[in-house]
Amino acid sequence: MRPWRGTRHGMASLATRIFATLLAISVGSAAVATVASALLHQRVIMNAARVELDNECDMVASALDGAADEVAELASIDLGEVRATLVSPLGEVLFDSEADTGKADGHVADSGEGGASVEGDGSPVRAADAPGNMSLSQTRVLASGNAIRLTVDRAGISAILMDDLGILATLLAVLVVVSYAASRFLASWLVSPIIGIDDASLAQRTPYEELRPLTDRLDEQQRALVEQMEELRNADAARREFTANVTHELKTPISSIMGASELLRDGFVLDEDIPGFAARINDEAQRLAALVNDILTLSRLDESERFRSQETFGAVEPVDLLVLARDVRERLSGRADHLEVTITVEGTSTVVSGFPHMLDELVGNLCSNAVRYNRPGGSVRIWVGMRDGRPTLEVTDTGIGIPQEAQAKVFERFFRVEASRSRESGGTGLGLAIVKHAATLHGATVSLESELGEGTTVTVSFSG
């Protein structure tokens, strides 16, 4: 199994992190165990030495109590490594078994600090002269008043550790090697199931429960990416369809203008027919201008939604929807009178924050459609006010209505319920699409209710 290596761009590999962790844990555990065992070893040694020294001290004290010459008797006793010191009640050293080594000087002079005196028994433990060792002593007061002290040195914890230094070094080397090998194996063993995760079902194939939050997040990101790609494909398809529709819609007025103008240029039009041809050219030019304006408006709205920027629409200003509705009524009054349609504005002053030009486009397109698809003697009612705590604009007409199956499509670009009537009345097929995007720009919602032959009501509800 190939070890996992991930040190690109300065990142620490998983194996390195596992190695450092294992080594720290094993070395720390070994150090604690070593010190603990050394302390336990020292305690056993000191307890055994104390018992042995205590027995020897009792034995020597018994022998000296029955002797006529304590110094001679003490000198005749072989105590091995145990040091024997005889002290008078005044603190004078009468005998020291190590006097010949030069270590006797001062040994009993500090006995008061160590707890050994002629006034009683003592068993102090203190640092020995040899580095790392501990000195254990027992003292007995004899019948003569003198005191006998027995002292023995035993290895302290530092000496024990120093004696085991070679073993500890070997143990450390073994721990390094074992930790390194284990880290390489564990890294590869842990990573292999992760590498084998099927990206088509991340959440279902999680190898470790600890990875569940990560795989869930990756699964969500994957779904979001798929949705974004689908949206991009849909947007691309919509763009191609829009381009084709724009091309088709532009061709009609351009062809009409070119045909009429060529006939006028070549003199094939009678003098009495020239005004009619001029009127046709003017109507088609106005239709072409309206179509271009609507396309530019939609392009700006698309750009705003795509880049989430509203800078192209200027500054946000307070706009009174009631005043705006009255302005639109005045602007459409000529066309409405021509089609014998009455426009009324009702409601109360209602102010929203938005872009004046785009709000004018929204209200203007709704009212223009209501007039265009109405019938002679019909009416258009514009109502403005608060509904459910939200500023609301409602446009109701008594026109031809929209079939149920077409209501979901009326806000699509270039969709017409009656294409021939729309072209005759100058419609571009983009008005309601502009209404939908302008409402979205202002955080508003658009709803439509219509009954064929009865009329249509479009409601725009702004955020409170």
Side-chain angles (χ1 to χ4, degrees):
M1 185 177 293
R2 183 175 62 87
W4 171 252
R5 303 181 186 274
T7 57
R8 294 181 182 178
H9 310 297
M11 294 184 295
S13 69
L14 179 61
T16 302
R17 294 184 178 183
I18 294 177
F19 170 67
T21 302
L22 288 178
L23 187 61
I25 293 174
S26 58
V27 170
S29 300
V32 171
T34 300
V35 173
S37 62
L39 288 172
L40 181 60
H41 187 199
Q42 182 197 34
R43 183 177 180 181
V44 171
I45 292 175
M46 295 302 289
N47 286 340
R50 183 178 287 107
V51 171
E52 182 180 355
L53 191 62
D54 188 61
N55 293 333
E56 290 186 359
C57 195
D58 288 339
M59 180 190 67
V60 171
S62 298
L64 294 180
D65 278 338
D69 188 349
E70 294 178 350
V71 174
E73 182 66 24
L74 185 59
S76 66
I77 300 175
D78 183 9
L79 296 175
E81 62 179 348
V82 178
R83 179 179 183 179
T85 306
L86 185 64
V87 184
S88 70
L90 297 178
E92 179 185 1
V93 178
L94 302 177
F95 175 83
D96 189 339
S97 61
E98 294 186 1
D100 58 334
T101 65
K103 297 180 182 179
D105 296 339
H107 176 67
V108 182
D110 64 351
S111 60
E113 296 177 10
S117 69
V118 295
E119 298 178 356
D121 298 344
S123 57
V125 178
R126 62 183 181 86
D129 295 334
N133 288 343
M134 299 298 294
S135 182
L136 181 67
S137 63
Q138 288 287 351
T139 303
R140 295 288 186 274
V141 178
L142 303 177
S144 62
N146 295 331
I148 179 65
R149 167 185 282 181
L150 299 184
T151 305
V152 66
D153 290 346
R154 288 291 182 263
I157 186 171
S158 58
I160 294 174
L161 292 176
M162 289 298 294
D163 289 342
D164 296 336
L165 192 58
I167 297 176
L168 293 177
T170 303
L171 176 61
L172 179 61
V174 170
L175 289 176
V176 171
V177 173
V178 171
S179 297
Y180 179 81
S183 66
R184 310 307 289 185
F185 170 77
L186 286 174
S188 180
W189 180 64
L190 291 172
V191 170
S192 294
I194 300 175
I195 296 176
I197 295 177
D198 182 7
D199 57 0
S201 57
L202 291 172
Q204 289 75 22
R205 297 289 301 276
T206 304
Y208 310 116
E209 186 61 31
E210 291 79 4
L211 288 178
R212 178 71 62 182
L214 173 63
T215 54
D216 287 346
R217 185 164 65 251
L218 292 176
D219 208 27
E220 292 175 2
Q221 292 175 351
Q222 187 179 48
R223 285 196 298 268
L225 182 60
V226 171
E227 292 175 0
Q228 290 175 0
M229 293 179 64
E230 185 65 26
E231 290 176 0
L232 289 175
R233 283 194 292 267
N234 293 337
D236 185 60
R239 180 187 58 80
R240 290 197 299 269
E241 181 181 1
F242 180 70
T243 302
N245 288 332
V246 166
T247 302
H248 175 74
E249 294 294 332
L250 289 174
K251 282 182 179 179
T252 302
I254 290 175
S255 297
S256 182
I257 291 171
M258 291 178 61
S261 61
E262 286 175 358
L263 290 175
L264 288 172
R265 182 196 63 189
D266 296 336
F268 292 119
V269 180
L270 297 176
D271 291 343
E272 60 270 19
D273 294 332
I274 289 178
F277 274 83
R280 183 191 305 174
I281 292 174
N282 182 67
D283 290 343
E284 294 297 336
Q286 289 184 1
R287 178 183 171 192
L288 183 61
L291 181 60
V292 170
N293 286 334
D294 284 350
I295 291 173
L296 291 176
T297 299
L298 271 177
S299 297
R300 291 168 61 198
L301 288 167
D302 286 341
E303 182 180 358
S304 172
E305 292 179 6
R306 185 179 303 111
F307 298 104
R308 293 178 173 82
S309 172
Q310 301 176 347
E311 296 178 357
T312 58
F313 303 109
V316 174
E317 300 178 14
V319 177
D320 191 328
L321 293 177
L322 185 64
V323 173
L324 182 59
R326 289 170 178 168
D327 291 342
V328 170
R329 180 189 60 184
E330 293 300 321
R331 193 164 63 238
L332 295 177
S333 60
R335 184 190 305 174
D337 292 342
H338 177 72
L339 296 175
E340 301 179 12
V341 176
T342 302
I343 303 177
T344 59
V345 177
E346 302 175 2
T348 58
S349 176
T350 305
V351 178
V352 297
S353 295
F355 305 100
H357 175 68
M358 294 312 304
L359 289 172
D360 183 80
E361 287 277 352
L362 185 152
V363 178
N365 278 295
L366 283 178
C367 296
S368 179
N369 268 20
V371 171
R372 182 180 297 115
Y373 295 102
N374 219 308
R375 62 187 69 197
S379 64
V380 174
R381 174 179 172 270
I382 308 173
W383 178 86
V384 176
M386 299 295 292
R387 181 175 294 166
D388 297 330
R390 302 178 65 180
T392 303
L393 169 74
E394 188 176 85
V395 178
T396 303
D397 65 64
T398 59
I400 61 176
I402 303 172
Q404 185 68 34
E405 64 275 8
Q407 291 181 15
K409 299 180 180 180
V410 294
F411 293 100
E412 296 179 3
R413 303 175 188 193
F414 294 111
F415 179 81
R416 297 182 177 91
V417 178
E418 293 185 10
S420 59
R421 176 166 181 169
S422 178
R423 290 193 176 93
E424 290 174 1
S425 59
T428 64
L430 296 175
L432 290 181
I434 292 175
V435 168
K436 182 184 72 172
H437 288 281
T440 301
L441 177 66
H442 291 86
T445 58
V446 183
S447 61
L448 179 144
E449 295 180 3
S450 184
E451 187 173 344
L452 194 61
E454 298 294 332
T456 301
T457 298
V458 179
T459 304
V460 181
S461 298
F462 295 84
S463 57

